[in-house]
């Protein structure tokens, strides 16, 4: 698309938005300052570099599209390629299994900051900040239970792993001069009926207390619940209620994965409810299709509602926006780009909302006027503002990223067998 056309369309949009009291320049500035935390695991189907063992722990990738990243160099190249098509500056979210273990086997209770030295240096060179995750899946000691395992030896192993991960996150945060957000998700649960719901939850609570006993200044902890994992359908130790209670009492961040709730539940509604009781939120923006299927995020009502709630709550500085999907059935770089840009498009529309007028209507009991303006907002020329955002950031505008992804596939991905 010609730059002049984008500029002309933007000027018209700018006037159109000014008429409803919105300054598009301010909005573009705000959007520029919102980093996404890009999930490194989209590029290699959550495999990591530890041992090549199969993905386990209640999650699964489906599809075998060619071109999966097989090592750290390929993963980094893919992330940079994706980032070159996503406007703005973004963070990278690593899992412990993506450490550089020097060809040997480093067990999870032995991991150290030095295994992430390469990542920290690379991230600094790229001007990219890091977030982190402990990894309790895909490991021989990770059956149905980890931190909630009745066997003290197994529990201790995972406590040690997670404690070490916090130390790594602390080092990342210290080096980048900005807190590293460390997420804790475990799959612990039961395939069939358990008669010990309380027991496993007591054990998990105790393990968490041991893990969080060390205070840190440069990392922040978050805890992620879910409804159930594959093969663990009857009971999830770390349920939503469990972690909400834990995080509220202990002042931890709650991670909301948009796939981890009952399909008709609104994740957007949780933002205001939780922010009154927990310090911050972390998001795993995903697209559940009938269940926690981890499809690529798109610009749908759910994502839009979620972004609108963050803006309406004035909570952009208390919500960390990460992505979490793993689609192995399509070009993985394209998947990164589509999901990231979709999330940003939702954020942009949330920022372009004439909230002042809408709230004036609401306060005056003008229900029709509120509804009418909300409806009209849907067709205001937000896309012209989006195109301008891409143009100013030097990334492909509109569908221009499709041939760019195809080109990378031809040049790079298709050579991986
Ligand atoms: C699993 C959780 C978790 C993982 C990542 C890989 O259901 O969503 O966040 O997807 O840790
Ligand atoms: Zn998640």
């Amino acid at each position: 698309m010609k730059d002049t056309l984008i500029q002309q369309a933007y000027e018209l949009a700018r006037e159109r938005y000014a008429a409803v009291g919105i300054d598009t320049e301010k909005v573009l500035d705000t959007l520029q300052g919102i980093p996404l935390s890009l999930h490194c695991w989209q590029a290699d189907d959550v495999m990591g570099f530890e041992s090549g063992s199969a993905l386990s722990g209640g999650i699964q990738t489906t599809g075998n599209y060619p071109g999966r990243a097989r090592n750290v160099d390929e993963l980094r190249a893919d992330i940079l390629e994706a980032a070159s098509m996503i406007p703005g500056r973004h963070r990278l979210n690593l899992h412990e299994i993506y450490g550089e273990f020097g060809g040997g086997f480093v067990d999870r209770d032995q991991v150290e900051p030095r295994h992430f030295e390469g990542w920290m240096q690379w991230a600094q060179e790229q001007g990219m900040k890091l977030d982190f995750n402990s990894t309790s899946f895909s490991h021989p000691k990770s059956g149905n239970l980890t931190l909630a395992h009745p066997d003290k030896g197994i529990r201790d192993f995972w406590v040690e792993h997670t404690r070490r991960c916090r130390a790594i996150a602390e080092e990342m945060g210290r080096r980048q001069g900005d807190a590293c957000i460390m997420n804790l998700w475990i799959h612990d649960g039961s395939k069939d009926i358990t008669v010990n719901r309380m027991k496993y939850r007591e054990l998990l609570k105790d393990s968490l207390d041991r893990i969080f006993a060390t205070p840190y200044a440069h990392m922040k902890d978050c805890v992620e619940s879910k409804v159930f994992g594959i093969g663990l359908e009857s009971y999830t130790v770390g349920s939503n209620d469990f972690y909400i209670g834990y995080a509220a009492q202990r002042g931890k961040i709650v991670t909301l994965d948009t796939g981890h709730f009952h399909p008709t539940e609104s994740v957007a509604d949780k933002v205001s409810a939780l922010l009154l009781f927990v310090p911050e939120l972390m998001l795993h923006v995903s697209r559940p299709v009938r269940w926690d299927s981890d499809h690529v995020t798109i610009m749908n009502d759910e994502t839009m509602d979620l972004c609108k709630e963050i803006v309406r709550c004035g909570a952009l500085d208390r919500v960390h926006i990460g992505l979490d999907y793993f689609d192995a059935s399509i070009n993985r770089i394209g998947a990164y780009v589509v999901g990231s840009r979709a999330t940003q498009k939702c954020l942009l529309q949330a920022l372009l909302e004439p909230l002042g007028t809408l709230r004036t209507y609401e306060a005056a009991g003008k229900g029709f006027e509120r509804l009418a303006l909300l409806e009209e907002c849907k067709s205001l020329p937000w896309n012209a503002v989006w195109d301008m955002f891409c143009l100013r950031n030097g990334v492909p505008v509109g569908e221009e990223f499709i041939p760019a992804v195809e080109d990378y596939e031809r040049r790079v991905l298709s050579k991986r067998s």
Side-chain angles (χ1 to χ4, degrees):
M1 222 182 300
K2 275 206 194 117
D3 291 8
T4 47
L5 281 180
I6 296 164
Q7 265 143 8
Q8 282 168 8
Y10 174 71
E11 286 312 322
L12 292 174
R14 184 178 173 167
E15 278 182 43
R16 186 69 187 84
Y17 274 105
V20 293
I22 295 293
D23 180 344
T24 54
E25 283 299 308
K26 268 198 194 142
V27 166
L28 285 172
D29 271 0
T30 307
L31 189 61
Q32 194 72 44
I34 307 176
L36 301 176
S37 191
L38 303 175
H39 56 313
C40 77
W41 51 94
Q42 162 56 36
D44 79 331
D45 310 343
V46 210
M47 293 298 290
F49 312 132
E50 190 185 58
S51 60
S53 71
L55 181 60
S56 73
I59 51 175
Q60 206 171 41
T61 47
T62 48
N64 53 3
Y65 197 85
R68 182 178 76 77
R70 297 159 302 177
N71 53 53
V72 73
D73 292 332
E74 292 181 353
L75 191 78
R76 284 179 189 156
D78 288 1
I79 289 162
L80 291 183
E81 184 64 23
S84 75
M85 290 177 255
I86 304 167
R89 295 212 70 80
H90 301 286
R91 302 170 72 94
L92 179 66
N93 202 3
L94 291 173
H95 244 283
E96 186 271 352
I97 46 172
Y98 290 81
E100 292 178 272
F101 304 116
F105 177 69
V106 176
D107 211 348
R108 307 263 175 104
D109 64 342
Q110 299 298 320
V111 66
E112 290 175 27
R114 67 187 171 90
H115 299 119
F116 291 85
E117 183 60 38
W119 277 114
M120 288 187 271
Q121 279 179 20
W122 178 82
Q124 193 176 16
E125 280 158 28
Q126 305 303 328
M128 218 180 232
K129 287 173 179 159
L130 298 172
D131 292 319
F132 199 53
N133 298 256
S134 51
T135 312
S136 61
F137 49 82
S138 309
H139 186 276
K141 285 203 173 66
S142 140
N144 292 348
L145 295 164
T146 62
L147 289 175
H149 204 291
D151 180 313
K152 186 164 185 305
I154 295 198
R155 225 163 51 241
D156 286 352
F157 176 86
W158 291 111
V159 167
E160 180 62 22
H161 166 72
T162 320
R163 289 177 61 88
R164 284 170 177 259
C165 285
R166 289 184 77 235
I168 295 166
E170 171 69 7
E171 181 60 10
M172 289 175 173
R174 193 184 64 75
R175 298 256 290 257
Q176 66 199 17
D178 188 53
C180 169
I181 311 299
M182 185 182 132
N183 188 50
L184 189 159
W185 170 73
I186 58 165
H187 57 272
D188 292 35
S190 170
K191 179 180 171 80
D192 216 330
I193 300 161
T194 167
V195 293
N196 276 311
R197 284 174 186 265
M198 179 63 106
K199 174 176 160 179
Y200 303 119
R201 290 193 171 129
E202 278 171 354
L203 291 172
L204 177 55
K205 183 175 176 227
D206 180 68
S207 292
L208 293 176
D209 284 346
R210 289 169 61 199
I211 289 164
F212 297 139
T214 311
Y216 284 121
H218 306 285
M219 61 85 65
K220 293 180 181 178
D221 298 295
C222 36
V223 286
E224 179 184 11
S225 70
K226 74 186 271 174
V227 180
F228 72 92
I230 304 166
L232 302 164
E233 291 84 356
S234 296
Y235 168 69
T236 303
V237 186
S239 62
N240 182 46
D241 311 68
F242 175 91
Y243 280 125
I244 300 287
Y246 190 89
Q249 195 175 60
R250 305 285 203 261
K252 296 295 177 191
I253 299 177
V254 166
T255 299
L256 294 174
D257 183 309
T258 56
H260 290 193
F261 298 90
H262 291 281
T264 61
E265 214 173 330
S266 162
V267 180
D269 182 58
K270 298 175 189 303
V271 174
S272 53
L274 286 168
L275 281 178
L276 290 172
F277 303 100
V278 299
E280 292 170 38
L281 295 176
M282 171 78 196
L283 301 179
H284 277 187
V285 186
S286 186
R287 175 167 50 114
V289 176
R290 302 187 187 281
W291 68 294
D292 183 24
S293 62
D294 292 298
H295 278 67
V296 179
T297 299
I298 56 172
M299 193 187 86
N300 56 11
D301 286 352
E302 288 76 15
T303 314
M304 196 81 87
D305 287 348
L306 182 58
C307 292
K308 284 187 179 159
E309 269 312 304
I310 300 169
V311 174
R312 290 174 187 170
C313 292
L316 279 168
D317 57 342
R318 292 176 67 199
V319 181
H320 308 274
I321 306 171
L323 305 173
D324 184 11
Y325 49 80
F326 22 99
D327 192 333
S329 73
I330 60 174
N331 181 304
R332 292 172 185 78
I333 312 310
Y336 258 136
V337 181
V338 168
S340 307
R341 287 172 67 124
T343 306
Q344 291 180 297
K345 286 178 189 171
C346 291
L347 283 165
L348 172 64
Q349 288 173 78
L351 293 166
L352 287 169
E353 192 171 68
L355 199 51
T357 311
L358 287 163
R359 286 192 167 149
T360 308
Y361 285 149
E362 184 161 319
K366 294 187 172 184
F368 147 69
E369 289 82 349
R370 180 186 57 193
L371 187 61
L373 185 53
L374 282 169
E375 279 300 287
E376 287 306 310
C377 285
K378 293 178 183 172
S379 48
L380 286 178
W382 65 269
N383 60 321
V385 185
W386 169 250
D387 286 348
M388 188 48 128
F389 187 60
C390 291
L391 183 69
R392 286 189 187 169
N393 276 281
V395 304
V397 174
E399 70 281 11
E400 280 168 5
F401 75 90
I402 300 173
V405 169
E406 288 178 331
D407 180 55
Y408 185 69
E409 176 162 53
R410 249 187 318 270
R411 282 187 295 111
V412 180
L413 301 181
S414 68
K415 310 253 156 71
R416 299 176 188 167
S417 52

